[in-house]
Amino acid sequence: MAKPLTDSEKRKQISVRGIAGLGDVAEVRKSFNRHLHFTLVKDRNVATPRDYFFALAHTVRDHLVGRWIRTQQHYYERDPKRIYYLSLEFYMGRTLQNTMVNLGLQNACDEAIYQLGLDLEELEEIEEDAGLGNGGLGRLAACFLDSMATLGLAAYGYGIRYEFGIFNQKIVNGWQVEEADDWLRYGNPWEKARPEYMLPVHFYGRVEHTPDGVKWLDTQVVLAMPYDTPVPGYKNNTVNTMRLWSAKAPNDFKLQDFNVGDYIEAVLDRNLAENISRVLYPNDNFFEGKELRLKQEYFVVAATLQDIIRRFKSSKFGCRDPVRTCFDTFPDKVAIQLNDTHPALSIPELMRILVDVEKVDWDKAWEITKKTCAYTNHTVLPEALERWPVSMFEKLLPRHLEIIYAINQRHLDHVAALFPGDVDRLRRMSVIEEGDCKRINMAHLCVIGSHAVNGVARIHSEIVKQSVFKDFYELEPEKFQNKTNGVTPRRWLLLCNPGLADVIVEKIGEDFLTDLDQLKKLLPLVNDEAFIRDVAKVKQENKLKFSAFLEKEYKVKINPSSMFDVHVKRIHEYKRQLLNCLHVVTLYNRIKKDPAKAFVPRTVMIGGKAAPGYHMAKMIIKLVTSIGDVINHDPVVGDRLKVIFLENYRVSLAEKVIPAADLSQQISTAGTEASGTGNMKFMLNGALTIGTMDGANVEMAEEAGVENLFIFGLRVEDVEALDRKGYNAREFYDRLPELKQAVDQISSGFFSPREPDCFKDVVNMLMYHDRFKVFADYEAYMQCQAQVEQLYRNPKEWTKKVIRNIACSGKFSSDRTISEYARGIWGVEPADLQIPPPNIPRD
């Protein structure tokens, strides 16, 4: 049998990675050696693997710079409408390989590095993930940046340069332990500090109403230092910018008072100001009303809006009038997209600048603000909605509180005029929630202050209109839209699964990478024996590679011919990792009951981080690891069932596990997962989905045919009906013996013999206050899993379904999503034209 090709050899065969011309290779080698030389001249005379990584990163960065400068110059000259994507999270992952892919440099780099006696993949593994996000919302922002650059939009991502991103997760004795993510420790080769664009941000102080307008006085100032990261489009020479702000204390911080007693103390207190950009809040779908978080939200908004207005005024067609109060064209030149309510302060801040600083009259300013801003809702879970205490605003942002009151008053006057006497409607629709603690409902502020509001999957957008913002929908139905999420096929196919990308390119060419609908051309090949064989072979190679990785990193031996059953996402009750646990325990009990029976071997992999303060999520992790400890060491089970908890799940680990998965678990209670994007990545990479009719699963089933997914469980209507009737978990527990057995084992300490009461909290929740109805879907889930096993026994039929799924995944490209935002919300057209590369002189 022929020896399998190494990854390096495989990559060389793949045309989409860029032809490694001799000139390119020589150029890369020369540049690499030059960077390495400068590194070593400065420091030492022996190169470490990290030195090699930085030399390569700087070599690749050199190829970006010319395109970056030219793109920005092109925007300055053409003055297109600019898109500002505001997000408190950008979950970027690693940058080196993505940059090589998008510049078409991968093969040249691979060959050059190989000629120097090094291994490209080994160098890629040295790079830290930029983990400036929690999960879906932050990763969506990253995919959107890639698509906006690929579609040639003049777009900017604006956020915070957290010194510490999402924590690193260690598992110790089966429990999650958090470790600070010091991702900047060795420096970040992709960012460029721009101190010349540093801006002041104000906090606290008091408001004075004077004859010449409103003044916000006696504030504390924090400086916002921008760091720019290039965002390359796919082979179109466009390089956009992600600008992240870092907090800096002004040099006179706490030294302004001429009677400062303790100079040392004052200088040490600079940390207080600089803490604003210290750390990412690690909550996913949960609101924690901390003052530091509100400071972060205002910090990014205030710095960004000054930057946007500076760019608007200095642009060719901006307002050059001496008084500079001509903001009429502002919404024609600026679109601000709010990624959830976290940047909602953009609305009152833009009003403050227009009214207080630029002296625009209120009604005009409000019209401009509404036309400029648009809001994306990401969740319907009540505990995730931002509701800030009015008292916190009074102290931190007194002028913004006044502006919010004024916005709300005009809004309520409008509603009262349309619905006279309907006081309950006024209460429901107010931005201010009355009660023992008065609160500001940021979602209501966003809906009122935006010209477009969108959900992130069709079913979610319907729920938004019919429940969460029902009153607002009745008022302005035209404002509400759907924009189903997508993922970038560059990172989530070409980069992470070159083997699969290659077999697809062989059949349909490479245009699908920027027009994913072309995957439909694979449908006629669903019965092609050779293609079926190729697709199955790629999956097997990916599984072997991932098995080797698990063995090397975690010392766990797994059976690569078993079904890889993968459930990776943040740990949350609504995502129902507990339902998966019950299935695993039931499978274990079936094997123990009848050890001679033929079982389809499975490796169940569950991974994800729990918010540090989320007790139940941490208990779920402990349960998974405890179940694994029992099952993995039971000789009766052998390698028919293994349970692995994937430690420290993050973007770079997703890139390894997703291409190796056979089964993708997307099992949230119907109506709780707004969209999901992991589901799309698995579909694109040849896994089959077991899932509920929730989020984008609904549209995946529609695209591929419901018979090509394993759909089970309650629909949204059933969940609502069950709520009206009253969900009684005990009913299911009493009726289903296998469920009862599994629950009793967890409860009695079968999986925690040294601490029998360990999981009492978990079982108590499942039995008496489970908002997400795990038991109600258990039976359907078990039956559905049996169908999964039945199909897996027939590899050819399984692979045909895989091919159908891949062929129908085109809708779930973020290129499609961004095209819809561009046309339906921002009022711009995606540009096909390429900016000429830097080596071609400009006209």
Side-chain angles (χ1 to χ4, degrees), residues 404-645:
I404 289 166
Y405 276 144
I407 290 169
N408 193 43
Q409 190 54 59
R410 284 169 164 78
H411 161 63
L412 291 181
D413 290 345
H414 176 57
V415 175
L418 288 169
F419 301 92
D422 193 344
V423 285
D424 198 55
R425 181 179 298 262
L426 293 180
R427 182 191 53 74
R428 291 196 310 267
M429 295 184 76
S430 177
V431 175
I432 310 296
E433 298 180 357
E434 301 294 342
D436 36 331
C437 168
K438 281 177 76 170
R439 291 177 179 274
I440 300 172
N441 185 315
M442 301 302 269
H444 289 185
L445 179 62
C446 285
V447 173
I448 294 162
S450 298
H451 71 278
V453 175
N454 74 280
V456 290
R458 192 202 305 132
I459 187 176
H460 168 235
S461 297
E462 288 305 314
I463 291 169
V464 159
K465 293 189 294 194
Q466 286 157 24
S467 70
V468 198
F469 300 135
K470 182 169 187 287
D471 295 313
F472 296 91
Y473 175 65
E474 287 171 11
L475 200 66
E476 307 179 275
E478 66 291 338
K479 188 180 271 194
F480 290 80
Q481 303 189 22
N482 172 246
K483 296 286 170 279
T484 300
N485 284 164
V487 304
T488 171
R490 274 73 63 182
R491 183 177 295 265
W492 296 112
L493 179 57
L494 183 51
L495 180 155
C496 71
N497 203 342
L500 181 57
D502 197 21
V503 307
I504 294 171
V505 168
E506 248 175 65
K507 295 294 182 191
I508 67 171
E510 54 180 82
D511 287 356
F512 71 92
L513 286 164
T514 50
D515 179 12
L516 206 62
D517 280 321
Q518 290 195 29
L519 288 175
K520 281 264 187 284
K521 294 179 185 171
L522 295 174
L523 278 176
L525 298 171
V526 76
N527 293 307
D528 180 312
E529 298 289 340
F531 189 62
I532 292 170
R533 210 170 40 243
D534 288 345
V535 170
K537 178 165 167 276
V538 166
K539 180 62 72 179
Q540 201 47 47
E541 284 170 355
N542 291 341
K543 289 172 71 172
L544 281 163
K545 187 174 181 190
F546 191 65
S547 303
F549 167 80
L550 282 184
E551 223 176 307
K552 182 172 149 287
E553 293 295 310
Y554 301 103
K555 317 284 173 257
V556 282
K557 193 104 168 75
I558 60 174
N559 170 10
S561 64
S562 63
M563 183 199 306
F564 282 17
D565 170 343
V566 183
H567 196 182
V568 287
K569 50 186 75 248
R570 284 295 289 258
I571 310 295
H572 201 299
E573 288 159 86
Y574 87 83
K575 293 175 187 282
R576 297 202 296 189
Q577 283 91 357
L578 286 170
L579 184 55
N580 193 352
C581 288
L582 292 174
H583 172 248
V584 169
V585 172
T586 305
L587 280 189
Y588 171 68
N589 289 333
R590 288 176 183 177
I591 293 171
K592 295 288 279 186
K593 189 176 174 191
D594 191 358
K597 192 165 169 245
F599 287 89
V600 174
R602 283 200 195 225
T603 303
V604 179
M605 305 181 209
I606 300 176
K609 293 174 183 176
Y614 188 175
H615 171 252
M616 188 57 65
K618 290 188 148 180
M619 290 309 303
I620 292 168
I621 291 173
K622 176 62 173 171
L623 179 60
V624 172
T625 57
S626 303
I627 291 170
D629 286 340
V630 170
I631 294 179
N632 299 348
H633 298 111
D634 190 326
V636 176
V637 176
D639 66 0
R640 290 182 287 187
L641 184 58
K642 286 271 180 276
V643 180
I644 311 289
F645 186 84

Side-chain angles (χ1 to χ4, degrees), residues 176-312:
Q176 166 175 298
V177 176
E178 298 89 19
E179 219 173 60
D181 165 40
D182 193 6
W183 72 291
L184 294 168
R185 184 173 45 231
Y186 300 105
N188 174 3
W190 308 108
E191 70 181 8
K192 175 80 184 79
R194 307 297 301 276
E196 67 274 25
Y197 289 116
M198 188 139 65
L199 294 166
V201 175
H202 298 263
F203 294 101
Y204 303 108
R206 59 191 178 82
V207 180
E208 214 170 79
H209 291 258
T210 74
D212 17 309
V214 184
K215 303 266 190 291
W216 182 16
L217 303 166
D218 304 332
T219 55
Q220 291 183 25
V221 175
V222 178
L223 299 176
M225 163 87 82
Y227 286 78
D228 287 357
T229 299
V231 178
Y234 182 68
K235 293 183 179 176
N236 65 350
N237 298 314
T238 296
V239 182
N240 284 344
T241 303
M242 174 176 68
R243 177 162 284 182
L244 302 181
W245 302 102
S246 185
K248 228 54 199 95
N251 286 330
D252 63 358
F253 187 72
K254 296 232 167 165
L255 295 167
Q256 302 98 318
D257 338 333
F258 47 96
N259 60 350
V260 172
D262 195 338
Y263 161 76
I264 297 292
E265 200 62 31
V267 174
L268 296 185
D269 275 348
R270 291 171 64 84
N271 279 319
L272 272 43
E274 294 173 359
N275 276 338
I276 290 176
S277 56
R278 195 80 67 203
V279 60
L280 167 73
Y281 273 84
N283 302 318
D284 187 74
N285 274 298
F286 183 76
F287 170 62
E288 181 180 6
K290 291 277 189 288
E291 182 174 41
L292 181 61
R293 170 68 173 195
L294 185 57
K295 279 186 177 165
Q296 288 181 340
E297 292 183 354
Y298 181 62
F299 176 74
V300 65
V301 158
T304 300
L305 275 163
Q306 289 179 74
D307 220 29
I308 290 173
I309 286 166
R310 172 191 58 75
R311 201 176 282 119
F312 169 73

Side-chain angles (χ1 to χ4, degrees), residues 575-818:
K575 293 175 187 282
R576 297 202 296 189
Q577 283 91 357
L578 286 170
L579 184 55
N580 193 352
C581 288
L582 292 174
H583 172 248
V584 169
V585 172
T586 305
L587 280 189
Y588 171 68
N589 289 333
R590 288 176 183 177
I591 293 171
K592 295 288 279 186
K593 189 176 174 191
D594 191 358
K597 192 165 169 245
F599 287 89
V600 174
R602 283 200 195 225
T603 303
V604 179
M605 305 181 209
I606 300 176
K609 293 174 183 176
Y614 188 175
H615 171 252
M616 188 57 65
K618 290 188 148 180
M619 290 309 303
I620 292 168
I621 291 173
K622 176 62 173 171
L623 179 60
V624 172
T625 57
S626 303
I627 291 170
D629 286 340
V630 170
I631 294 179
N632 299 348
H633 298 111
D634 190 326
V636 176
V637 176
D639 66 0
R640 290 182 287 187
L641 184 58
K642 286 271 180 276
V643 180
I644 311 289
F645 186 84
L646 293 175
E647 196 174 301
N648 204 30
Y649 181 65
R650 58 200 187 282
V651 175
S652 58
L653 185 54
E655 290 166 3
K656 296 178 174 73
V657 68
I658 291 172
D662 290 308
L663 187 67
S664 159
Q665 299 242 24
Q666 309 295 338
I667 59 177
S668 54
T669 311
T672 63
E673 188 74 89
S675 168
T677 44
N679 47 2
M680 302 168 186
K681 293 163 193 173
F682 282 103
M683 183 185 194
L684 186 56
N685 280 278
L688 298 185
T689 302
I690 184 167
T692 50
M693 276 298 202
D694 198 20
N697 296 357
V698 177
E699 289 160 82
M700 286 162 54
E702 184 177 303
E703 292 296 302
V706 70
E707 69 283 0
N708 293 306
L709 281 77
F710 297 99
I711 296 290
F712 72 94
L714 303 174
R715 308 304 199 249
V716 170
E717 307 73 53
D718 307 320
V719 173
E720 287 168 353
L722 192 49
D723 277 328
R724 284 193 296 274
K725 170 180 170 250
Y727 167 64
N728 179 6
R730 172 144 243 129
E731 215 177 287
F732 298 94
Y733 171 88
D734 288 335
R735 184 166 59 75
L736 304 166
E738 286 188 309
L739 172 60
K740 182 179 194 300
Q741 181 187 8
V743 172
D744 289 349
Q745 286 168 310
I746 292 166
S747 179
S748 69
F750 180 88
F751 295 105
S752 52
R754 314 186 101 163
E755 205 190 328
D757 284 352
C758 189
F759 300 117
K760 278 280 188 279
D761 285 359
V762 178
V763 172
N764 183 56
M765 180 274 290
L766 286 171
M767 293 292 291
Y768 303 110
H769 28 88
D770 175 10
R771 295 164 59 204
F772 303 105
K773 307 177 175 60
V774 171
F775 291 1
D777 273 339
Y778 170 83
E779 192 175 16
Y781 183 53
M782 293 302 303
Q783 287 166 0
C784 199
Q785 285 281 19
Q787 290 167 27
V788 172
E789 300 206 346
Q790 194 190 339
L791 188 66
Y792 196 77
R793 292 173 193 270
N794 185 341
K796 190 195 225 175
E797 288 307 312
W798 179 278
T799 305
K800 285 184 181 182
K801 271 209 202 305
V802 164
I803 292 166
R804 284 192 194 98
N805 271 268
I806 296 168
C808 295
S809 62
K811 175 179 182 179
F812 305 106
S813 167
S814 46
D815 297 346
R816 186 268 317 152
T817 310
I818 289 298

